[in-house]
């Protein structure tokens, strides 16, 4: 495929495609603990690495982070932000998703590991979550382990003011900070040609001094408590408070996933806490041959 030669919004000298700015985050040089780990090609694909979707027709591409993996039946899905995997539908369903993302030099021939499947449309007046799923083409090409941070529990939990949280993402790597507000409201300005101005509600706000917790390219990262429970998904920062990063609540994401994968009868009590609708946050790299828990 001939990629359109247009200026790279973030990284001069990198792949020349039409890259979409990360939602509300200014572009800055990589700051990750070990940048080459989070931005390099990694197989199987873990949580916390560079990913991106591309529209084959226009070469419109994104870069963000893998936030979690879930399974439903025999299928594995990568969970990330809507604006990373679909830009509210500007990138069509079933478009290729590569690891690393396209600002990190992805090759369509070598690096596509998934295709975007479903996204939660933005509600410009009261948007609660920024989330989408991409179906992994070969399930063994992904693993639940969080880069630099081990294996999560597979559970979601309630955010609490004062809670310490960790995130592993494409740009700032493994970082730690503190939740300072829940059920918050904020706004993101329009990105001309891509997204309208959006009013966000029920947001988790995490302390983000000097963009040390999350920055451009970290959108879609999962934030986890110290026990490895998913607390939220990194979305954006408030231009009026750039020292705070807003995250979608994992509990609200759970409700949305329940609508995507309707639950069935749970027959295995050991999987009960991991159930998210009819899907399951994956807790290892093995896809069960039979799952009666849906």
């Amino acid at each position: 495929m001939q990629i359109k030669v247009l200026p790279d919004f973030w990284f001069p000298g990198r792949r020349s495609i039409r890259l979409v700015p990360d939602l509300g985050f200014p572009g800055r040089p990589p700051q990750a603990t070990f940048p080459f780990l989070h931005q390099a090609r990694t197989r199987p694909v873990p949580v916390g690495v560079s990913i991106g979707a591309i529209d084959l027709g226009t070469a419109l591409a994104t870069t963000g982070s893998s936030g979690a993996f879930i399974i439903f039946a025999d299928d594995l899905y990568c969970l990330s932000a809507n604006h990373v995997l679909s830009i509210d539908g500007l990138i069509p369903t079933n478009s290729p998703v590569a690891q690393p993302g396209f600002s990190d030099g992805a090759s369509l021939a070598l690096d596509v590991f998934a295709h975007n499947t479903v996204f939660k449309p933005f509600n410009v007046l009261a948007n609660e979550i920024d989330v989408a799923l991409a179906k992994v083409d070969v399930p063994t090409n992904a693993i639940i382990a969080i880069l630099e941070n081990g294996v999560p529990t597979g559970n979601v939990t309630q955010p609490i003011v004062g809670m310490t949280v960790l995130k592993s993402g494409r740009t700032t790597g493994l970082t730690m900070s503190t939740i300072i507000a829940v059920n918050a409201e904020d706004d993101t300005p329009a990105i001309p040609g891509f997204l309208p101005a959006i009013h966000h509600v029920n947001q988790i706000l995490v302390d983000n001094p000097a963009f040390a917790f999350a920055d451009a390219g970290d959108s879609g990262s999962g934030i986890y408590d110290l026990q490895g429970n998913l607390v939220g998904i990194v979305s954006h920062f408030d231009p009026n408070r750039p020292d705070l990063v807003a995250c979608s609540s994992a509990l609200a994401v759970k409700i949305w996933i329940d609508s995507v994968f309707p639950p069935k009868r749970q027959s295995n009590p050991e999987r009960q806490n991991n159930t998210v609708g009819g899907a399951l946050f994956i807790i290892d790299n093995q896809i069960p041959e039979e799952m009666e828990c849906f």
Side-chain angles (χ1 to χ4, degrees):
M1 174 187 175
Q2 188 69 33
I3 301 294
K4 291 184 179 179
V5 180
L6 295 171
D8 187 326
F9 290 174
W10 295 344
F11 303 102
R14 295 292 185 89
R15 190 179 184 88
S16 294
I17 60 176
R18 191 183 179 205
L19 290 170
V20 179
D22 201 345
L23 184 63
F25 285 99
R28 244 189 292 277
Q31 311 170 36
T33 42
F34 296 101
F36 64 92
L37 293 178
H38 295 265
Q39 295 151 31
R41 186 182 194 275
T42 305
R43 294 295 183 276
V45 178
V47 173
V49 293
S50 170
I51 64 170
I54 187 168
D55 178 358
L56 295 178
T58 64
L60 179 68
T62 66
T63 297
S65 300
S66 52
F69 287 97
I70 66 168
I71 57 176
F72 180 71
D74 294 324
D75 296 323
L76 177 64
Y77 295 84
C78 179
L79 178 69
S80 188
N82 171 340
H83 75 271
V84 171
L85 292 178
S86 77
I87 322 180
D88 208 29
L90 287 181
I91 293 179
T93 299
N94 205 39
S95 293
V97 176
Q99 193 292 313
F102 290 92
S103 67
D104 293 319
S107 162
L108 281 170
L110 300 175
D111 298 328
V112 172
F113 80 104
H115 287 76
N116 63 7
T117 305
V118 61
F119 65 94
K120 175 67 169 66
F122 288 119
N123 178 341
V124 297
L125 298 179
N127 190 69
E128 190 171 21
I129 57 175
D130 177 4
V131 66
L133 295 169
K135 184 178 177 181
V136 177
D137 299 334
V138 179
T140 53
N141 276 347
I143 190 170
I144 187 54
I146 304 170
L147 189 61
E148 298 192 84
N149 192 35
V151 180
T153 65
N155 300 328
V156 299
T157 194
Q158 176 78 41
I160 300 170
V161 173
M163 176 187 284
T164 298
V165 290
L166 295 162
K167 73 125 253 309
S168 179
R170 177 254 170 220
T171 303
T172 54
L174 181 64
T175 56
M176 178 185 293
S177 192
T178 305
I179 293 177
I180 67 162
V182 297
N183 301 320
E185 299 186 18
D186 66 6
D187 298 276
T188 49
I191 301 177
F194 299 114
L195 290 171
I198 301 171
H199 180 66
H200 302 271
V201 299
N202 191 28
Q203 300 295 290
I204 303 167
L205 298 183
V206 180
D207 195 23
N208 191 35
F211 295 92
F213 180 71
D215 202 344
D218 286 329
S219 289
S221 301
I223 63 169
Y224 294 84
D225 66 13
L226 297 182
Q227 289 71 48
N229 302 308
L230 184 66
V231 180
I233 301 293
V234 171
S235 176
H236 61 276
F237 84 101
D238 186 339
N240 295 319
R241 289 293 307 273
D243 58 329
L244 304 177
V245 62
C247 305
S248 303
S249 167
L251 296 177
V253 171
K254 173 180 176 178
I255 292 171
W256 175 72
I257 292 178
D258 181 69
S259 70
V260 175
F261 301 113
K264 298 181 181 178
R265 184 174 180 178
Q266 170 66 269
S267 62
N268 185 344
E270 294 182 357
R271 296 190 182 277
Q272 183 68 47
N273 291 337
N274 292 329
T275 300
V276 180
L280 189 75
F281 277 87
I282 189 169
I283 57 175
D284 55 34
N285 197 33
Q286 302 300 315
I287 305 300
E289 292 181 1
E290 295 182 7
M291 295 184 79
E292 298 179 355
C293 57
F294 304 125

